Amino acid sequence: MKRTLRLSMTSGLLAVAACLALHPEQSQARDAQTILKETCQGCHTPEGENALSRISHQRKTPEGWLMSIARMQTMHNLQISDEDRRTVVKYLADTQGLAPSETDGVRYALERRLNTVEQFDDQTKQMCGRCHSGARVALQRRPAQEWERLVNFHLGQWPSLEYQALARDRDWFDIARKDMVPLLAKRYPLDTQAWKDWQKNMPKAEAMVGQWSFSGHMPGKGELGGIMTVSANGTDQFKVAVDGQYADGSPFKGEGSAILYSGYEWRGNVTVDGVNMRQVFAAKGGELKGRMFDKAHDERGLDFVAAKQGTKQLLAVQPGYLKAGSEGEVTLIGSGLEGKPSFGKGVEVVEVLEQTPERLRVKLKAAADAAPGVRAVSVGALKGVNLAVYRDIAEVKVVPAFSVARIGEGGGSTPKVQGRFDAEAWGKGTDGKPYRIGVFPAQWKVEAFDERAKEDEDVKYAGTMQADSGVFTPGDAGPNPQRKMSTNNAGNLKVIAAVDDAGKSHTGEGQMIVTVQRWNNPPIP
Ligand code: HEC
Ligand code: HEC
């Protein structure tokens, strides 16, 4: 087969001079330009005003730019200081980033939700999603020529790619060039109206400064709420303090810093209880949304949503359910909470226990004959969250239904990756349709997934499930002389949650693969 592999850095067609000119006065931009000239221009050809081959014809997330430059360092021996790299990543993410709408649906990769089951067409899954996530692809924008060079780079950098398992079942290079390149250029083009509009209307970073009321949920620990205080600390940089509490009363307090990229990509580092946590949020009109996780153990994280003080938003109801015929306390979290709370038909507010603009704690009573189902909650004119009323639990789902945990430590440098689960109860509405009630406390255990796992005693070796929290800690890495052929502590397990509802037990089941370490762990999986 005849092939022309070009790791080319020849000039492209589309100059970015126009988009660079949008932020000409920023001093950081000038610094970045100097760095680009001094450290990149040696290999990347100048193309007119402030444009460089390859670099100027792509748009991506801050993590995407970081990965490209890190590759320049490890594979092409680029020399760059950490500080210069930070400046260049910031500048490129601001001037050649993605619009918020261009990251919709694939933010899970940035938020490091590594158990996400991706939704792509079969071709993309098989051609591009077997080595890394499809999201890594969907989080980039390029013209056809740049997608083609990316394909060439893959085969040039890893010439054995086509002979590896999961690639040799097809003519990978041919399909990539003929089918994937046009498809990618159409699906993820460099020039979009969304990015043009966003560049014009990008909010100022000052809009982030102030107090934010937040709500969160951490699997294995529960719901939390509190206030996050943000103060300016340089251009697009902030000091951050969080002061909150879990539903069980334990504190959630910490301090750190954050940077805003591309006008909305919030990246923070906040130390909570001695744990260095990373914040990956999208800022959108007075709302911050995303995930906050332990930097060293990204499986330990919480869903996070916050509303800026001064805006009017209802963010969450904690807990989001009540049993028909019972009384219970719920907390509404938001910003500008004013007026009377209402929880829909069959649910009565017995007493307002506490009301501030950020928090509204009430005692509720659901009538014994209240219809099972979901009700829209409102406070004054504010809406957007639901309360589920249930009579019986119809089904318990283990979330995530399919997950991967990893052995670690055992003398090695790679930490264990835990499994973390929620038990989600579902009910059946009067219309017969299933509805989500919410996350319930459960008793947890693991069992052998199949005959093979039973024979190999995976339950005994693969790790330990904490019965009351749904947190699974895998076994040590390395060969285990007690196992057949001294294999390691991998396993294939059923994850079983038992939820008790008024003396009746309901169980749900998921699957967890306990496997070997993830040796290569780049910012975008
Ligand atoms: C020593 C040479 C060298 C230097 C210096 C260098 N690059 Fe590269 N760059 C390459 C080569 C070779 C390729 C094509 C192969 C590849 O993608 O790895 C490339 C490709 C790229 C790409 C395209 C990657 C893709 O996914 O298509 C980007 C973006 C990039 N470089 C950014 C930079 C930036 C930013 C700098 C300066 C901070 C830089 N490079 C400095 C050699 C270099
Ligand atoms: C054989 C495994 C493999 C396959 C198949 C594969 N990739 Fe990659 N891809 C990689 C590796 C390895 C990297 C480099 C990761 C790094 O820089 O740390 C990468 C990097 C990338 C990047 C980031 C490049 C940058 O610097 O911005 C993109 C985008 C990408 N791949 C898209 C694709 C697309 C599109 C396909 C399908 C046509 C595909 N990949 C198929 C292994 C693969």
Side-chain angles (χ1 to χ4, degrees):
M1 204 184 308
K2 215 178 94 200
R3 266 169 199 171
T4 30
L5 273 187
R6 290 181 304 152
L7 295 186
S8 76
M9 292 173 292
T10 53
S11 63
L13 295 168
L14 300 140
V16 287
C19 92
L20 293 177
L22 281 172
H23 305 273
E25 331 64 13
Q26 277 177 21
S27 68
Q28 192 175 41
R30 267 200 300 278
D31 290 349
Q33 276 300 341
T34 310
I35 300 165
L36 284 163
K37 284 206 179 83
E38 282 173 5
T39 60
C40 315
Q41 200 170 294
C43 300
H44 293 268
T45 325
E47 300 174 346
E49 206 184 319
N50 286 344
L52 292 171
S53 67
R54 308 298 316 271
I55 301 170
S56 303
H57 310 291
Q58 313 186 348
R59 292 193 286 119
K60 43 195 142 186
T61 56
E63 285 83 357
W65 283 114
L66 175 64
M67 277 177 69
S68 294
I69 298 176
R71 191 170 78 244
M72 297 301 119
Q73 293 179 272
T74 55
M75 290 183 176
H76 306 310
N77 204 20
L78 158 72
Q79 304 294 322
I80 188 168
S81 69
D82 289 354
E83 202 189 330
D84 278 0
R85 191 176 64 188
R86 274 195 286 274
T87 306
V88 173
V89 167
K90 173 77 173 92
Y91 173 74
L92 289 170
D94 287 350
T95 53
Q96 293 169 237
L98 302 185
S101 62
E102 292 177 312
T103 68
D104 273 354
V106 276
R107 299 195 62 81
Y108 57 82
L110 304 172
E111 294 167 354
R112 300 198 63 81
R113 300 177 191 268
L114 297 199
N115 284 317
T116 305
V117 177
E118 295 199 292
Q119 305 295 327
F120 285 95
D121 60 284
D122 286 346
Q123 177 94 313
T124 306
K125 265 192 238 167
Q126 292 166 8
M127 290 291 294
C128 313
R130 282 175 169 173
C131 296
H132 48 67
S133 68
R136 186 188 286 182
V137 184
L139 288 167
Q140 299 222 348
R141 297 294 180 275
R142 308 164 175 240
Q145 193 179 35
E146 278 299 320
W147 284 114
E148 188 175 356
R149 286 178 176 147
L150 177 81
V151 167
N152 291 343
F153 142 73
H154 274 74
L155 206 53
Q157 193 70 60
W158 300 286
S160 65
L161 182 163
E162 290 191 291
Y163 308 108
Q164 292 169 13
L166 298 180
R168 63 177 170 235
D169 59 339
R170 69 197 64 214
D171 190 350
W172 188 88
F173 188 53
D174 227 39
I175 302 171
R177 273 189 316 174
K178 292 197 180 124
D179 295 351
M180 292 310 297
V181 168
L183 180 85
L184 293 167
K186 189 158 169 260
R187 209 183 269 168
Y188 310 120
L190 180 67
D191 291 315
T192 63
Q193 198 57 44
W195 177 242
K196 276 192 198 117
D197 291 347
W198 180 250
Q199 279 200 302
K200 269 185 231 135
N201 306 320
M202 223 184 251
K204 291 260 178 299
E206 292 90 83
M208 305 304 299
V209 173
Q211 296 215 308
W212 297 75
S213 164
F214 69 83
S215 160
H217 170 83
M218 168 94 107
K221 180 82 180 152
E223 290 171 312
L224 69 154
I227 300 288
M228 178 167 101
T229 307
V230 175
S231 49
N233 188 29
T235 316
D236 293 354
Q237 303 207 31
F238 312 94
K239 277 192 182 141
V240 180
V242 292
D243 187 355
Q245 214 177 31
Y246 283 98
D248 70 6
S250 53
F252 183 82
K253 260 187 195 260
E255 283 182 4
S257 61
I259 302 183
L260 192 71
Y261 297 90
S262 322
Y264 71 104
E265 290 286 9
W266 174 276
R267 300 292 183 269
N269 280 306
V270 178
T271 304
V272 178
D273 258 340
V275 176
N276 191 350
M277 295 189 86
R278 191 147 172 75
Q279 296 179 321
V280 177
F281 303 153
K284 220 185 226 169
E287 187 190 89
L288 269 173
K289 197 171 182 182
R291 186 163 179 261
M292 192 165 166
F293 51 85
D294 183 335
K295 212 171 166 184
H297 297 270
D298 52 31
E299 76 276 21
R300 306 179 193 171
L302 51 103
D303 302 321
F304 183 99
V305 59
K308 182 93 187 284
Q309 269 181 10
T311 64
K312 288 184 180 296
Q313 288 178 73
L314 182 53
L315 294 176
V317 189
Q318 297 182 353
Y321 53 82
L322 189 62
K323 193 174 170 77
S326 80
E327 273 193 5
E329 232 180 80
V330 309
T331 304
L332 301 181
I333 294 181
S335 172
L337 302 182
E338 273 170 15
K340 273 178 81 169
S342 156
F343 294 84
K345 225 173 159 188
V347 182
E348 178 198 337
V349 177
V350 180
E351 192 186 349
V352 175
L353 302 164
E354 179 194 346
Q355 182 158 13
T356 69
E358 293 80 37
R359 259 170 93 83
L360 208 163
R361 204 156 54 85
V362 292
K363 194 172 180 187
L364 298 181
K365 186 182 166 102
D369 61 355
V374 170
R375 286 145 176 77
V377 176
S378 63
V379 179
L382 297 180
K383 286 198 178 77
V385 298
N386 296 321
L387 180 83
V389 173
Y390 73 102
R391 247 178 245 167
D392 296 303
I393 292 174
E395 193 192 350
V396 169
K397 292 186 187 182
V398 168
V399 179
F402 181 80
S403 66
V404 176
R406 293 176 189 274
I407 55 175
E409 298 161 19
S413 59
T414 312
K416 297 177 180 184
V417 176
Q418 294 176 331
R420 296 211 153 212
F421 302 93
D422 271 334
E424 223 177 60
W426 286 65
K428 206 176 243 175
T430 36
D431 54 3
K433 289 204 183 115
Y435 67 97
R436 183 181 181 275
I437 303 173
V439 172
F440 274 61
Q443 285 296 307
W444 296 88
K445 64 175 178 184
V446 290
E447 283 179 4
F449 187 78
D450 53 18
E451 276 307 310
R452 184 60 204 269
K454 204 171 181 178
E455 206 181 290
D456 291 343
E457 297 183 281
D458 287 0
V459 172
K460 182 170 163 194
Y461 295 113
T464 324
M465 177 63 93
Q466 206 177 311
D468 57 352
S469 68
V471 174
F472 177 87
T473 305
D476 287 347
N480 182 349
Q482 290 174 314
R483 298 199 81 176
K484 207 189 310 175
M485 294 174 76
S486 283
T487 191
N488 58 34
N489 289 320
N492 185 6
L493 301 172
K494 267 185 212 169
V495 176
I496 300 170
V499 168
D500 178 84
D501 180 44
K504 221 166 155 188
S505 179
H506 307 265
T507 61
E509 224 176 85
Q511 184 184 6
M512 170 172 54
I513 302 282
V514 182
T515 187
V516 296
Q517 303 92 315
R518 205 178 139 89
W519 298 113
N520 187 341
N521 202 9
I524 300 179

